[in-house]
Amino acid sequence: MNLATVLAATATNPDARVHSRGDRYVVIDDLLPDADFEATADAFTRIRLKPVLSTIDPMYDGFAYRGGEDKQRLAHTDDEAPRWQRAVKEQIGVHLGLLAAPGRAENLSLTFSAWGYPAGSRLSWHNDAGAGRIGAYVYFTHRTWDTDWGGGLALIDEESRADAADGAALVHSATHPALVLPRPNRLIVFRAHTMHAVQRVDATAGDRLRRTYTGFITEDTP
C-alpha cells in the first residue's frame, strides 16, 4: 500500500530523492520542502528535552536528551499533524517492501520521539529486535552539520546474528558497515534485526546537538 496515493495532499517534498539504499535500508534526502523543514527545525528547538542514559551501554555511551513520545497508526494521518510526521509516514508506506511488510500498512503503527545527542555521546551497536518491531527511522532536523562533528549512523546491511551484541564478533562480519552522515532534512528507514550504531558526537560540535526525530515501526497485535 502506497500511503502517498491515498492522502489528499502529500507532505513529502516533490524534489525528495533516494540518496542511497541497501537490502535493509534506504536514505531519502530533502524530505520536506525548505519552508516546511525550517518550521520543523524551529519547532524542535521548543521541545522540552530531558537527559536520559543509554539503554545499550549507559557507562560508555553517555547520555542523550529525549522529549515527547507518541504512537500512531501508520495508515491514519491527521491533516493537522506536523508535516514531518506526515512525510515520514508517506515514505515508510512507499518502502514497506524494504521492511518485508508489503500491503500491511493497516496493521502497523509508528512511534515518535525527539532526540538530541550532545558532544561526547554515542549509541552502541544494537539491532532494535523485539517488541513487535519490524523497522525504525531516523530523521535529521538540525539546520547545519559538519562531518567532523561525528554523529553518523552506521549500519551493517545484513540480518543480525546470534552474536550481534558482541562488538568483537562484528569486526569479523562479512559486510562492511555503511555510514550515513547526519545531513539536515535526511530520512533513513531500515529494517529491524539490522545492526546499527550512532557514532560519538565529537567535541568540535561544541554546544550543537545532533537533532533527530526517531521511532519504531511496529506490528499491531490483535
Side-chain angles (χ1 to χ4, degrees), residues 92 99 128 134-138 188-192 196 214-217:
I92 290 172
L99 302 173
D128 287 345
I134 67 166
Y137 71 90
V138 177
I188 310 153
V189 180
F190 56 95
R191 199 185 307 181
H196 59 284
T214 303
F216 300 114
I217 303 115

Side-chain angles (χ1 to χ4, degrees), residues 63 65 116-122 145 149 200-210:
F63 69 91
Y65 295 102
Y117 280 79
S121 64
R122 69 171 190 183
W145 199 259
W149 299 344
R200 197 178 299 278
V201 179
D202 193 79
T204 54
D207 61 358
R208 302 173 184 85
L209 292 178
R210 174 192 186 270

Side-chain angles (χ1 to χ4, degrees), residues 114-137:
W115 287 89
Y117 280 79
S121 64
R122 69 171 190 183
L123 189 60
S124 298
W125 289 97
H126 60 290
N127 65 5
D128 287 345
R133 299 169 187 152
I134 67 166
Y137 71 90

Side-chain angles (χ1 to χ4, degrees), residues 148-160:
D148 288 337
W149 299 344
L153 181 69
L155 305 98
I156 298 181
D157 193 22
E158 63 183 19
E159 185 171 359
S160 56

Side-chain angles (χ1 to χ4, degrees), residues 12-132:
T12 300
N13 183 3
D15 296 324
R17 57 192 175 85
V18 173
H19 170 275
S20 54
R21 67 168 71 238
D23 292 335
R24 305 177 67 86
Y25 72 93
V26 62
V27 180
I28 300 157
D29 280 351
D30 303 322
L31 177 71
L32 293 178
D34 290 345
D36 290 337
F37 176 69
E38 284 297 315
T40 299
D42 185 60
F44 192 103
T45 65
R46 296 193 295 272
I47 297 174
R48 186 174 182 180
L49 301 174
K50 298 180 179 180
V52 293
L53 283 172
S54 165
T55 59
I56 308 300
D57 189 340
M59 179 174 292
Y60 293 108
D61 286 352
F63 69 91
Y65 295 102
R66 185 180 185 182
E69 186 168 2
D70 190 20
K71 185 175 183 179
Q72 301 175 14
R73 297 294 297 273
L74 177 61
H76 173 74
T77 300
D78 184 347
D79 288 341
E80 300 302 315
R83 301 284 287 184
W84 74 266
Q85 288 187 9
R86 292 178 53 191
V88 167
K89 284 186 172 184
E90 290 164 10
Q91 291 306 309
I92 290 172
V94 168
H95 295 287
L96 286 179
L98 176 80
L99 302 173
R104 290 162 52 195
E106 297 292 339
N107 302 319
L108 301 177
S109 291
L110 193 63
T111 64
F112 303 99
S113 292
W115 287 89
Y117 280 79
S121 64
R122 69 171 190 183
L123 189 60
S124 298
W125 289 97
H126 60 290
N127 65 5
D128 287 345

Side-chain angles (χ1 to χ4, degrees), residues 131-213:
R133 299 169 187 152
I134 67 166
Y137 71 90
V138 177
Y139 176 51
F140 294 111
T141 63
H142 37 249
R143 286 188 173 90
T144 60
W145 199 259
D146 189 306
T147 304
D148 288 337
W149 299 344
L153 181 69
L155 305 98
I156 298 181
D157 193 22
E158 63 183 19
E159 185 171 359
S160 56
R161 308 181 308 275
D163 61 357
D166 185 346
L170 286 178
V171 171
H172 303 287
S173 172
T175 303
H176 291 293
L179 179 62
V180 183
L181 300 177
R183 184 181 191 271
N185 204 12
R186 167 174 282 175
L187 172 68
I188 310 153
V189 180
F190 56 95
R191 199 185 307 181
H193 290 273
T194 301
M195 292 303 295
H196 59 284
V198 176
Q199 289 186 317
R200 197 178 299 278
V201 179
D202 193 79
T204 54
D207 61 358
R208 302 173 184 85
L209 292 178
R210 174 192 186 270
R211 296 176 176 173
T212 66
Y213 283 113

